[in-house]
Amino acid sequence: MSGRTLLQFFHWYTPDGGKLWSEVAEKAQALADMGVTDVWLPPAYKGASGAASIGYDTYDLFDLGEFDQKGSVGTKYGDRAGLERATQSLSDAGVGVIHDVVFNHKMGADEKERVHVRRANPNNRDEIEEEAFEASAYTRFTFPGRAGRHSQFVWDMKCFSGVDHLEDPDENGVFRLVNEYGDGEWNAEVDEEMGNFDYLMGSDVEFRNNAVYEELKYWGRWLPEQVRCNGFRLDAAKHIPAWFFRDWVGHVRETVDRDLFVVAEYWHPDMEVLGRYLGLVDQQLMLFDVALHHRFHDASKAGGDFDLRTIFDGTLVATIPDHAVTLVANHDTQPLQAMEASVEPWFKPLAYALILMREQGVPCIFYPDLYGARYSDTGDDGETHEVEMPTIECLPKLIEARKRFANGPQTDLFDDPHCIAFIRHGTADAPGSVTILTNGGEARKQIDLGPDHAGSGFRDYLGHCEEEIFTDDAGKLDVRVNGGSVSVWVRSDAV
């Protein structure tokens, strides 16, 4: 059997209305039948913007759409009962549940506190003014709507290392809170962008506070007791000290499930940086392959000028494949988002074939590519833009093809700048496949499958090429692909 296949079941513009959990429950069995093994859900807890929150403005980790807080009981995606049904439906269908973990910051504090702060240079956070001053900051979280249910922990100024907004005097910027941790410095073992990238937004969590450390470990044990949980996606990992996630992941695996799947969002294309981070977390987790996503973006823009033989150059899946989660797009890279780097629709079938049909990496599918999306938002130019992300018609078949035919050892035929192919040789119990793709015109390759396949018929499982083709007496096969397309050739008797 082929390996794991993730689906990110949301995007930045998922409609409001609390309907997503119901949609997850409705589609759970169909996803399992298609070949999806795990579903990554959006943050399931209450954000500062209540029912409009996408989930990354974390307010209360313990409110899963259960309490009247921030103007609503439910979240953008539904209420707690809906979440329970969704995760149970996935579990009943044999699909793993991956929860999104947003620990880096909190927003929407319930009260202000008088604090002492020191200004930091926003462009070089290591430059912190010596002189501190007093101001008011939103740093006290009491969660009055929850009234101590599930946790009685109150977050205050001692739980945070920095803020970006002050009152009395009113000022915006990056401010280091004066506390007893770190001798006035930011956390270490974070990304070195901007000198030190500990601070990102909101009230920045102080992981060196042992009470905070233990509360977040408690939440990691609590959540799987409430709803089905088979793993976690860790948000904003480059802003959180590596030692914390090293300890936290180890703790939840020891106390919840040793087989929990964990992938961190450390958004960086440099392999040296990612390799160093993996060392700091004791190789306990996977990382998204940012470099491969950028290669797909570049290839889709360049068209026939891109050398497909180099598509995996400098990528995580080529360098550290056992820790790579490969992707074509996500909620941060879709049109009108902060890290927009869209892959052109014509190239997406090729890109998905390159992550779904290969031996290396764990592929992650993006909701709009499977189901489509339409939305509008304001761009950097100040204008409103209407965006339509079309479904990738062959994507369900590619996911099925991974489940059925992405088996056995792999042989690459990366011998032409405009047309590449690879063979999955299958096993004694599971059939293999030949995937061929081109960014130019119609192309062909001769594939040597060996005498065991002599005289066998093959068809394109994606249906892009309609003819049946046959190997010769030696097991050689001439495979074809349409211009700017991909085909997955499998034995006719296995379809």
Side-chain angles (χ1 to χ4, degrees), residues 325-352:
V325 171
T326 51
L327 73 162
V328 177
N330 73 6
H331 60 290
D332 287 323
T333 69
Q334 70 184 101
L336 303 180
Q337 272 309 290
M339 295 185 288
E340 178 178 345
S342 302
V343 176
E344 295 294 324
W346 77 269
F347 192 79
K348 282 187 176 181
L350 286 68
Y352 273 113

Side-chain angles (χ1 to χ4, degrees), residues 300-317:
S300 76
K301 296 292 186 182
D305 293 330
F306 189 91
D307 187 342
L308 288 176
R309 296 172 299 182
T310 70
I311 193 71
F312 292 110
D313 286 4
T315 64
L316 186 64
V317 74

Side-chain angles (χ1 to χ4, degrees), residues 412-488:
D412 289 339
L413 292 93
F414 286 22
D415 53 2
D416 185 294
H418 304 300
C419 180
I420 58 175
F422 53 93
I423 307 166
R424 297 299 301 274
H425 291 279
T427 67
D429 303 315
S433 56
V434 178
T435 301
I436 179 172
L437 54 125
T438 179
N439 61 1
E442 179 182 321
R444 298 176 182 270
K445 280 190 187 295
Q446 186 176 78
I447 309 294
D448 189 353
L449 297 176
D452 288 346
H453 292 282
S456 298
F458 282 76
R459 289 194 177 276
D460 177 7
Y461 191 71
L462 305 182
H464 293 160
C465 297
E466 297 180 354
E467 69 271 22
E468 185 175 21
I469 58 177
F470 294 87
T471 53
D472 63 17
D473 292 341
K476 293 182 179 179
L477 182 71
D478 288 319
V479 295
R480 183 176 75 84
V481 62
N482 295 326
S485 185
V486 57
S487 290
V488 177

Side-chain angles (χ1 to χ4, degrees), residues 131-284:
E131 185 175 349
F133 63 96
E134 188 176 3
S136 294
Y138 287 91
T139 51
R140 187 170 175 83
F141 293 76
T142 61
F143 316 113
R146 181 159 56 79
R149 289 279 303 280
H150 307 313
S151 170
Q152 296 183 2
F153 191 83
V154 172
W155 294 70
D156 62 17
M157 68 180 87
K158 296 178 182 179
C159 301
F160 303 105
S161 62
V163 294
D164 58 5
H165 175 70
L166 301 174
E167 294 184 1
D168 189 25
D170 292 357
E171 189 173 340
N172 294 320
V174 176
F175 306 97
R176 174 72 172 91
L177 284 163
V178 176
N179 62 25
E180 59 191 276
Y181 310 104
D183 294 325
E185 303 301 320
W186 300 105
N187 275 280
E189 295 190 13
V190 297
D191 195 78
E192 296 177 358
E193 188 178 347
M194 298 186 183
N196 176 298
F197 221 172
D198 180 359
Y199 187 83
L200 177 62
M201 64 177 71
S203 297
D204 189 69
V205 170
E206 178 56 89
F207 296 94
R208 294 168 294 194
N209 181 330
N210 190 63
V212 169
Y213 175 83
E214 292 298 331
E215 177 73 353
L216 296 179
K217 284 166 57 179
Y218 166 63
W219 182 86
R221 302 189 303 273
W222 174 84
L223 182 70
E225 294 174 351
Q226 312 304 308
V227 292
R228 297 288 180 164
C229 175
N230 304 98
F232 299 100
R233 178 261 186 189
L234 309 178
D235 183 64
K238 67 194 292 185
H239 308 283
I240 295 172
W243 61 260
F244 172 79
F245 272 144
R246 178 198 66 210
D247 292 359
W248 190 85
V249 171
H251 176 74
V252 293
R253 285 215 174 107
E254 287 177 7
T255 57
V256 177
D257 184 349
R258 289 198 174 275
D259 295 325
L260 286 172
F261 178 83
V262 183
V263 55
E265 181 219 19
Y266 197 112
W267 202 257
H268 206 297
D270 188 279
M271 292 307 105
E272 183 177 343
V273 171
L274 297 186
R276 183 165 60 247
Y277 180 76
L278 285 170
L280 290 171
V281 297
D282 292 345
Q283 316 286 328
Q284 291 184 88

Side-chain angles (χ1 to χ4, degrees), residues 346-366:
W346 77 269
F347 192 79
K348 282 187 176 181
L350 286 68
Y352 273 113
L354 287 168
I355 68 173
L356 284 165
M357 297 306 296
R358 292 178 63 77
E359 188 175 8
Q360 299 83 13
V362 173
C364 185
I365 299 144
F366 190 35

